Amino acid sequence: MKPAVVLLSGGLDSATTAAVARAEGFAIHALSVDYGQRHRFELESAARVAVALGAAEHRVVAIDLAGFGGSALTADIDVPKDRPADEMSAGIPITYVPARNTVMLSLALGYAEVIGAADIFIGVNAVDYSGYPDCRPEFIAAFERVANLATKAGVEGTLKFHIHTPLIQLTKAEIIRRGVQLGVDYALTHTCYSPDAKGVSCGRCDACQLRIKGFAEAGLTDPITYQAS
C-alpha cells in the first residue's frame, strides 16, 4: 500500500476523506493540527476516527494560530448561530481562520516528503459552504504547484506531489452517503463550532446546521446528539 498523508480534523468531511483514501488503496498517515482552537473535542474525535479507519500512523502537531486571533474559532469572538442559508453563503464568515489550510497543507507536505508519500488528502468542500477562500479548487491547484516547486523531492523528481480533494464538488448529503458506503462511523466525528463543556454540539452554528441539513437530505439519521433548544 502506498502511503498518503491525510489531514484529519475529526470532523465529518475529513473522516470521509480518510475513508476514500483507504478505499483507494492508500495507507493512511493521519495528521491532525492543534492550532489553538478554542476546544479540543475535534482532536479527540480525530484520534478515534484514525483508530477506526486503521491508520498506519496518527500524528498531532501543535502550532499557535490563536496567537494571531482573528477568528471566532481561535479568539474571544462569538460564534454566529441561527444564520439563514443565504447569510451563511454571503461573504467570508468570522469562523474563517486566517491561512489555516495553507498552514495545514504545508505541514502535511513536510510530513509527506519525509515519509516518501506523493499523495496528500484534504477534505475541503466548495459546494455547500463556499465562504472559505482556502477551500476553492484554484487554491488547491496553486498549492500543488508550490509543493512541487518548493521541495527537494519535487525539484529532484523523486516525488510528484498530488493534493487529493475527493469531496470538493460534493454536497453535504453526497458526502454523507459516500461515507456511509465506505463504513464511516459518524458517531465518532465532531462538527460543532460551539459545543458545551461536555462536547455536545449546539445544533445552531453554521457547521451544525450544514451537518443537520446534510443528513436530512441524505435521508439518514445523524448519530450524534445536540443540545436541547
Side-chain angles (χ1 to χ4, degrees):
M1 297 175 72
K2 292 192 301 181
V5 172
V6 181
L7 282 164
L8 190 65
S9 70
L12 184 154
D13 291 346
S14 72
T16 308
T17 299
V20 170
R22 181 182 66 174
E24 292 182 359
F26 290 97
I28 299 170
H29 291 258
L31 177 64
S32 300
V33 182
D34 181 351
Y35 59 86
Q37 54 268 60
R38 288 167 63 181
H39 67 78
R40 295 293 182 270
F41 299 115
E42 65 178 8
L43 292 172
E44 295 167 7
S45 292
R48 294 193 293 267
V49 170
V51 171
L53 292 178
E57 186 177 20
H58 179 214
R59 294 194 180 193
V60 180
V61 174
I63 185 166
D64 187 21
L65 295 184
F68 302 134
S71 168
L73 302 190
T74 58
D76 189 17
I77 300 170
D78 289 340
V79 171
K81 294 181 179 177
D82 303 317
R83 298 205 301 162
D86 59 344
E87 186 177 335
M88 282 193 280
S89 63
I92 299 172
I94 193 62
T95 49
Y96 161 72
V97 178
R100 180 177 61 179
N101 282 352
T102 306
V103 170
M104 288 184 176
L105 279 170
S106 298
L107 293 171
L109 176 61
Y111 182 17
E113 187 172 22
V114 168
I115 66 173
D119 299 275
I120 298 170
F121 283 76
I122 182 171
V124 293
N125 177 261
V127 176
D128 267 348
Y129 199 2
S130 58
Y132 294 139
D134 52 3
C135 289
R136 296 175 298 164
E138 51 266 46
F139 163 71
I140 297 299
F143 189 90
E144 185 173 285
R145 289 195 297 272
V146 168
N148 287 292
L149 286 170
T151 55
K152 180 176 185 288
V155 170
E156 294 182 347
T158 57
L159 291 172
K160 183 174 177 58
F161 293 104
H162 178 48
I163 312 298
H164 298 255
T165 57
L167 313 184
I168 199 162
Q169 296 295 347
L170 300 183
T171 67
K172 193 66 73 179
E174 289 170 336
I175 292 168
I176 291 166
R177 290 192 195 102
R178 178 71 171 136
V180 169
Q181 290 172 352
L182 295 174
V184 176
D185 181 359
Y186 287 120
L188 302 178
T189 64
H190 181 91
T191 298
C192 184
Y193 292 152
S194 185
D196 66 15
K198 294 182 178 180
V200 179
S201 298
C202 72
R204 299 170 55 201
C205 67
D206 293 356
C208 280
Q209 289 195 65
L210 289 167
R211 177 179 175 130
I212 291 167
K213 176 175 175 282
F215 272 98
E217 291 180 350
L220 298 167
T221 300
D222 190 344
I224 70 167
T225 58
Y226 292 90
Q227 299 169 29
S229 57

